Amino acid sequence: MVQSSKKNQGVPEPTIRRMPSYLAFSEGLLKKGQEFVSSTQIANYMNIDPTQVTKDLSYTSIVGKTRVGYEVRAMVDILSSFLGFTVMDQAFLVGAGSLGSALLHDDGLENFGLDIVAAFDVNPGIVGKKINDIEVFHIDQFRDLAQEMKAIIGIITVPAEYAQSVADLMAAWGVKAIWNFTPARIKVPDDIVVQNTSLYANLAIIFNKIHTDKEEAL
Amino acid sequence: MVQSSKKNQGVPEPTIRRMPSYLAFSEGLLKKGQEFVSSTQIANYMNIDPTQVTKDLSYTSIVGKTRVGYEVRAMVDILSSFLGFTVMDQAFLVGAGSLGSALLHDDGLENFGLDIVAAFDVNPGIVGKKINDIEVFHIDQFRDLAQEMKAIIGIITVPAEYAQSVADLMAAWGVKAIWNFTPARIKVPDDIVVQNTSLYANLAIIFNKIHTDKEEAL
């Protein structure tokens, strides 16, 4: 394995998680016409220490200037590119029910470099239709389309009990990363990336905090 | 402050995050007709240690039986209720653009106890319409409707640069928790719960991992 470039390698996950916020903040400043931004200004916005901001940005090619800080335009360009938002990656979505079709409706994903090229389901009421111009195929066609379209990201939005079998199918047919929106835990070969995003887990945290506060106040 | 009940108080966030997966697993077993489940079986599914499962479940009223484990039906009932999924909480959504309307299309949220009662936007092309039977009002009507409808959760799906002003509006008009889907960091009074869910931050992590692997393999 020759490591000709490893620009993004070894970047801590918390750093990657903060960067879209730095990007959003910089885009806001750009619209307001601000030319430079300091690490202190970013730190205040984020409620974190300025040294953390400096450290995070040191993973990128952004260079700050003494006294004036970072150029806002460069922040936007370099962060978008660093985060992979400027290159399109093709994705398959399996499970075009309520959450799945919700994601198919979100054009924002495309702006952030995710191009959902096909959706799959088993429901005869959905298969064959188009959602936001994306065709919904029967899951039995997954193998053929995977060979033809070569999407590298698989999005799972099926009911939790089917998540593992969908993950197996994706792993078998060339998907390199799985974005799992179900609360199910899936097992895949080591070379496949899994990212879990459970809206309902986040919802549970909100409910827990509200209801605890409520009870505390009784 | 009289603490008459503090059932869910002091439950660690990682525990709350794992519980929807325990619930999903139990629901799957229930459908298959399995009557009991052991902590080891849950631990294998989750790829964690059985003692962690036992500890997590000890926060709830679920009681395991020696040799047989936990009753599956009780797991489903008690976890759903513990996580707040069986009680409806009303929510307002501000920003009925692509991500916002995507969430309005997700009936799954209602099954998990979140009832979005009204949406708000400024776009004349959207205001006055209904998305999945939920009316979209002009943001200027927020104050009046907040007093009338008393939603306690505010969902923010506006462009990042407007997130703070929407949060201010929500904080002023009685929202107790804010679910922020933008990459912006928002500031609110201490008694308001903020939950950040940035799909794009999760996407950035996927891209980073795929692209790093790609470069490694060159």
Side-chain angles (χ1 to χ4, degrees):
Chain A
M1 200 148 47
V2 185
Q3 297 181 339
S4 67
S5 155
K6 30 183 225 173
K7 190 186 68 177
N8 287 17
Q9 221 169 335
V11 184
E13 195 167 307
T15 294
I16 302 276
R17 286 196 174 277
R18 278 186 292 269
M19 284 181 171
S21 301
Y22 299 167
L23 174 60
F25 183 53
S26 306
E27 284 172 332
L29 296 179
L30 192 66
K31 282 191 191 165
K32 284 182 206 154
Q34 188 173 321
E35 229 179 308
F36 290 95
V37 59
S38 69
S39 53
T40 311
Q41 204 184 348
I42 300 170
N44 285 342
Y45 170 74
M46 298 289 292
N47 270 330
I48 59 175
D49 198 83
T51 56
Q52 184 65 64
V53 174
T54 317
K55 201 178 165 197
D56 286 346
L57 293 177
S58 74
Y59 289 103
T60 72
S61 58
I62 299 166
V63 182
K65 291 181 192 168
T66 324
R67 273 175 241 276
V68 291
Y70 304 97
E71 211 187 325
V72 172
R73 162 74 63 187
M75 284 279 284
V76 171
D77 292 346
I78 293 173
L79 283 175
S80 310
S81 154
F82 186 84
L83 291 170
F85 294 162
T86 54
V87 175
M88 273 293 168
D89 283 308
Q90 299 196 310
F92 284 149
L93 179 143
V94 178
S98 59
L99 178 58
S101 75
L103 291 174
L104 295 172
H105 276 104
D106 181 12
D107 295 322
L109 293 172
E110 203 171 327
N111 296 334
F112 282 86
L114 189 79
D115 181 20
I116 304 177
V117 292
F120 298 88
D121 208 292
V122 291
N123 181 344
I126 302 172
V127 170
K129 297 214 167 130
K130 281 192 174 188
I131 298 175
N132 196 19
D133 270 339
I134 300 159
E135 193 160 348
V136 183
F137 298 94
H138 192 278
I139 190 71
D140 290 345
Q141 293 178 262
F142 189 90
R143 292 163 196 80
D144 289 345
L145 284 165
Q147 286 178 287
E148 193 183 308
M149 292 178 141
K150 305 210 183 301
I152 62 166
I153 296 175
I155 301 171
I156 304 184
T157 44
V158 294
E161 67 256 46
Y162 304 115
Q164 184 60 53
S165 58
V166 171
D168 293 341
L169 188 66
M170 288 177 170
W173 294 94
V175 161
K176 297 292 165 224
I178 292 178
W179 197 359
N180 173 30
F181 279 85
T182 79
R185 296 293 170 115
I186 54 172
K187 291 181 171 61
V188 292
D190 284 342
D191 59 339
I192 295 180
V193 171
V194 174
Q195 178 68 37
N196 296 307
T197 299
S198 174
L199 295 188
Y200 309 125
N202 286 325
L203 200 52
I205 290 167
I206 296 175
F207 290 155
N208 181 54
K209 287 182 181 160
I210 306 178
H211 296 156
T212 303
D213 287 353
K214 260 190 218 160
E215 285 166 3
E216 253 184 285
L218 283 178
Chain B
M1 199 148 49
V2 185
Q3 298 181 337
S4 66
S5 155
K6 30 181 223 172
K7 189 185 69 177
N8 287 17
Q9 221 170 335
V11 185
E13 195 167 307
T15 294
I16 302 276
R17 287 196 174 278
R18 279 188 291 271
M19 284 181 170
S21 301
Y22 300 167
L23 174 60
F25 183 54
S26 306
E27 284 172 332
L29 296 178
L30 191 65
K31 282 191 190 164
K32 284 182 206 154
Q34 190 173 320
E35 229 178 307
F36 289 94
V37 59
S38 69
S39 53
T40 310
Q41 203 184 347
I42 300 170
N44 286 341
Y45 170 74
M46 298 289 291
N47 270 330
I48 58 174
D49 199 85
T51 56
Q52 184 65 64
V53 174
T54 316
K55 201 178 164 197
D56 286 346
L57 294 177
S58 74
Y59 289 103
T60 72
S61 58
I62 299 166
V63 183
K65 290 180 192 170
T66 323
R67 272 176 241 277
V68 291
Y70 304 98
E71 211 188 324
V72 172
R73 161 74 65 189
M75 283 279 283
V76 171
D77 292 346
I78 292 172
L79 283 174
S80 310
S81 153
F82 186 83
L83 291 170
F85 294 162
T86 52
V87 175
M88 274 291 167
D89 282 308
Q90 298 197 311
F92 284 149
L93 179 143
V94 178
S98 59
L99 178 59
S101 75
L103 291 175
L104 294 173
H105 276 104
D106 182 11
D107 295 322
L109 293 172
E110 202 170 329
N111 296 333
F112 282 85
L114 189 78
D115 181 18
I116 304 177
V117 291
F120 298 87
D121 208 294
V122 292
N123 181 345
I126 301 173
V127 170
K129 296 210 168 133
K130 281 192 174 187
I131 298 175
N132 195 20
D133 270 338
I134 300 159
E135 193 160 348
V136 183
F137 298 93
H138 193 278
I139 190 70
D140 289 346
Q141 293 178 264
F142 189 91
R143 292 163 196 80
D144 289 345
L145 284 165
Q147 287 179 287
E148 193 182 308
M149 292 178 141
K150 304 210 182 303
I152 62 164
I153 296 176
I155 302 172
I156 304 184
T157 44
V158 295
E161 67 256 45
Y162 304 116
Q164 184 60 54
S165 59
V166 172
D168 292 342
L169 188 65
M170 288 176 169
W173 294 95
V175 161
K176 296 292 166 225
I178 292 178
W179 197 359
N180 173 29
F181 280 86
T182 79
R185 297 293 171 115
I186 54 172
K187 291 181 172 61
V188 293
D190 285 342
D191 59 341
I192 295 180
V193 171
V194 174
Q195 178 68 38
N196 296 307
T197 299
S198 173
L199 295 187
Y200 309 126
N202 286 325
L203 201 50
I205 289 167
I206 295 174
F207 289 154
N208 181 54
K209 287 183 181 159
I210 305 178
H211 296 157
T212 303
D213 288 353
K214 259 190 218 160
E215 284 165 6
E216 255 186 284
L218 283 178

